[in-house]
Each structure stands twice: as C-alpha cells, then as structure tokens.
Amino acid sequence: IQKGAKKMKIKNYDVEMSGYRPKLVVKETYDYEGKVAELNQPEKIARFCRNTLNLHKKLEEHMYMIGFTTKFNVVGVSEIGMGGRSYCHVDKKNIMTRLLLMGATCVALVHNHPSKNPNPSKDDLDTTAKIKKSCESMDIHLIDHIIIGGFRYYSFSEHDKL
C-alpha cells in the first residue's frame, strides 16, 4: 500500500426488527488499508477475509457476504450463516433482505472450511446455485463465492463455476 493511502471504512451490518420492519444496524466498522475499489479480485477478497474477519482461524464454518456497487465500491459486509465444522446453514431470504437494505447491486459470498481444504463440497455448489438464482431474480449480480481453507482459497469465478 502506498504511503498516504486512505483507509477504507467497511461497515459490518446486522439486521434488527424495528416494529414490523427489518432495519440495518452497524455491528462494527473496519478500517481497511487500501483503495476504495481494491476488493475487486478473488485473492484480494480472500486476503481481506483472512486479515479482517479471521476466517482462516474459525473452528466452525461462517459465511459472509460483501455487498458492492456496480463499480465495486464496498457497500458493506454481513455475516449470513454459521454452522458446525463441516456445514453452514444460510437462508436466502436473509441474504436478499440484507442486500436490498444495503442497496448493493453486486455481491461476493465468502465462507471458510475449518478442515483447511478450500475445495467446494456438493452442498457448496448447490447452495451457490440457489443463491445465484435468488440474486438474479432481484437483478443483483453474484460476482463470486470464495472458500477460505487456511491460507488457500477457492474462487467459483476463477474456476468458471458461476
């Protein structure tokens, strides 16, 4: 990173009920060293998730989404699922709610494999296909699904799996 580069503020959102309506609330804010549109490649997204979210250290599977504008400016991050050592439950409606409340037009999914093996399981492939279909129905572009396994990663977009 160049000397004097600005830190990008990335908000980690959660959703709470306000009366009968969901509302985005900021859970925490990350100061990420880098250019605003730096998270535009799988390796950079994987590095962000290791360095900021510590996904490579988690004992259970956790899934996050990163919402983007059409110019790949980060709108926000949100944890969308947590499971055991070999699974992670996600709810498509919760994902879509968060994306719509953020105003995101693109999304990258990221989750970890505590086994340190980043290769996707059949469930990973099926879940990705279902989420992609939900995103397409709302004109939101699923740009990638990245699996973090230790210090390695698997990118669905790099392997033409989207």
Side-chain angles (χ1 to χ4, degrees):
I1 297 173
Q2 294 177 344
K3 193 174 183 176
K6 290 186 176 183
K7 288 184 180 182
M8 179 172 35
K9 298 262 189 212
I10 298 178
K11 294 181 180 176
N12 185 351
Y13 290 105
D14 203 355
V15 176
E16 294 179 354
M17 291 301 289
S18 176
Y20 293 103
R21 295 185 179 166
K23 172 181 144 184
L24 271 183
V25 293
V26 177
K27 205 163 130 180
E28 61 186 308
T29 301
Y30 308 113
D31 286 330
Y32 187 69
E33 301 256 354
K35 297 175 185 169
V36 172
E38 185 174 275
L39 298 180
N40 58 0
Q41 297 172 357
E43 190 277 326
K44 292 177 180 182
I45 293 171
R47 185 178 332 125
F48 166 77
C49 290
R50 281 192 302 266
N51 295 343
T52 307
L53 304 174
N54 292 312
L55 272 181
H56 64 298
K57 295 180 180 180
K58 303 282 187 189
L59 181 62
E60 304 89 9
E61 284 197 14
H62 291 259
M63 183 177 270
Y64 286 83
M65 59 172 227
I66 303 172
F68 296 92
T69 66
T70 52
K71 295 187 180 195
F72 290 100
N73 292 321
V74 176
V75 177
V77 175
S78 188
E79 184 171 16
I80 54 174
M82 183 181 151
R85 290 187 183 206
S86 61
Y87 69 93
C88 185
H89 175 74
V90 294
D91 182 335
K92 294 179 302 203
K93 287 179 269 184
N94 287 341
I95 295 168
M96 299 314 296
T97 298
R98 284 167 169 75
L99 288 170
L100 292 171
L101 289 172
M102 279 183 196
T105 55
C106 302
V107 62
L109 303 174
V110 185
H111 85 277
N112 66 313
H113 280 177
S115 68
K116 309 282 189 237
N117 177 354
N119 294 319
S121 67
K122 180 176 180 343
D123 283 343
D124 293 333
L125 295 167
D126 292 345
T127 298
T128 303
K130 289 175 185 174
I131 293 170
K132 181 180 181 186
K133 188 174 180 180
S134 294
C135 287
E136 286 172 347
S137 73
M138 302 299 289
D139 291 327
I140 295 172
H141 181 59
L142 176 60
I143 59 171
D144 209 343
H145 181 172
I146 297 168
I147 301 172
I148 307 289
F151 287 97
R152 297 181 301 147
Y153 74 91
Y154 179 96
S155 162
F156 279 62
S157 67
E158 287 180 345
H159 289 89
D160 295 320
K161 298 286 185 185
L162 285 181

